C-alpha cells in the first residue's frame, strides 16, 4: 500500500443504497476504502467508481459476512495489503419478512446470520488489529425498528436489537484501547426496497415521520462520517437514531 494512504476504511455491504453512500461519504484523497458485496458485481463497480471520483482508492471483494473463515481471510488480506484498519462500518444486512407464526426457521437463521453474526464476525477480527494499533472506529448499522419493534419482521428486529446490545458491550470492552464503538439506527430510507412501495404505503409511512419525508442514504452516511471523525472521539456505546423523528 502506498505511503499516500493515510486512512483505511472497511465497509460491509457497500454495493448499493446506504452502503454505497457510506463508502462515498468516507472516501477522500489519502483514504483506501475496502468494501464487500454479495452478488451484484455491477453495483460494486459503480460504488468503486464513485469512490475513485472523490479521490479515494477503492477495493471490492465478494465476501459472505456470515461465514467466519471467509471474513477472517478477507480482513487478513486487507491487513497484509494496507497494514491497518482504521474504520469498520458494519452495514451488510438482509430481510426475510413474515409473521412470526408463519416464519420459516431458515428465514430466521438467514437474517440472524448475516445481520447479527456477520457484524460479530467483522468486529471480532477487526478489533484484534485495532487493539494492536491502539486506535479504531467501529460503526454498526442497526435500525429504528431495533428499538421500536415492527410487526412482520421478528427476525430483522431481533437482529437489529442484537446489534445495539453488541455495540454497547464491545464499546465497554475496547474503550481502554482507544477504540470507539457506536451504532446508527436509520428510519425509513429511500432505497430499492422502499422504492417498490405503492404511493399509498409511502404516504402512510411519511405520516409517521415528524420531519415529513423519507430519508436518503446520504442522511445516514453523514452521521457515519461524523462518528468516524475526530469530532466524535469522546463518543462510544451510543445509538444515534436517524429517522426524521420516528423514534425519540
Amino acid at each position: 500500500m502506498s505511503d499516500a494512504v493515510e486512512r483505511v476504511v472497511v465497509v460491509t455491504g457497500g454495493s448499493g443504497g446506504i452502503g454505497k453512500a457510506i463508502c462515498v461519504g468516507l472516501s477522500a484523497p489519502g483514504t483506501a476504502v475496502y468494501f464487500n458485496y454479495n452478488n451484484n458485481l455491477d453495483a460494486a463497480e459503480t460504488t468503486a467508481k464513485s469512490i475513485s471520483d472523490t479521490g479515494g482508492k477503492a477495493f471490492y471483494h465478494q465476501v459472505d459476512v456470515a461465514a467466519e473463515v471467509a471474513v477472517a481471510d478477507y480482513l487478513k488480506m486487507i491487513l497484509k495489503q494496507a497494514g491497518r484498519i482504521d474504520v469498520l462500518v458494519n452495514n451488510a444486512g438482509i430481510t426475510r419478512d413474515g409473521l412470526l407464526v408463519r416464519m420459516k426457521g431458515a428465514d430466521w437463521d438467514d437474517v440472524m446470520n448475516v445481520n447479527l453474526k456477520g457484524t460479530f464476525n467483522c468486529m471480532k477480527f477487526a478489533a484484534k488489529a485495532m487493539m494492536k494499533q491502539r486506535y479504531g472506529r467501529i460503526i454498526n448499522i442497526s435500525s429504528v425498528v431495533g428499538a421500536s419493534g415492527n410487526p412482520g419482521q421478528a427476525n430483522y428486529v431481533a437482529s437489529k436489537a442484537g446489534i445495539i446490545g453488541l455495540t454497547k458491550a464491545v464499546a465497554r470492552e475496547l474503550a481502554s484501547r482507544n477504540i470507539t464503538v457506536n451504532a446508527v439506527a436509520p428510519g425509513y430510507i429511500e432505497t430499492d426496497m422502499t422504492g417498490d412501495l405503492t404511493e399509498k404505503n409511502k404516504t402512510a409511512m411519511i405520516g409517521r415521520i415528524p420531519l415529513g419525508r423519507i430519508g436518503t442514504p446520504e442522511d445516514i452516511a453523514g452521521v457515519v462520517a461524523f462518528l468516524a471523525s475526530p469530532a466524535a472521539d469522546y463518543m462510544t456505546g451510543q445509538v444515534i437514531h436517524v429517522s426524521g423523528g420516528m423514534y425519540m
Side-chain angles (χ1 to χ4, degrees), residues 61-75:
H61 301 81
Q62 187 174 27
V63 181
D64 178 6
V65 297
E68 184 175 358
V69 173
V71 169
D73 289 344
Y74 177 50
L75 295 182

Side-chain angles (χ1 to χ4, degrees), residues 183-222:
V184 177
Y188 288 117
I189 305 299
E190 193 68 60
T191 62
D192 290 341
M193 183 170 63
T194 56
D196 292 336
L197 295 174
T198 65
E199 287 302 316
K200 181 179 179 181
N201 286 338
K202 280 188 177 181
T203 299
M205 184 186 300
I206 292 172
R208 298 171 55 194
I209 303 172
L211 285 181
R213 69 172 176 87
I214 296 175
T216 68
E218 288 71 25
D219 289 325
I220 307 305

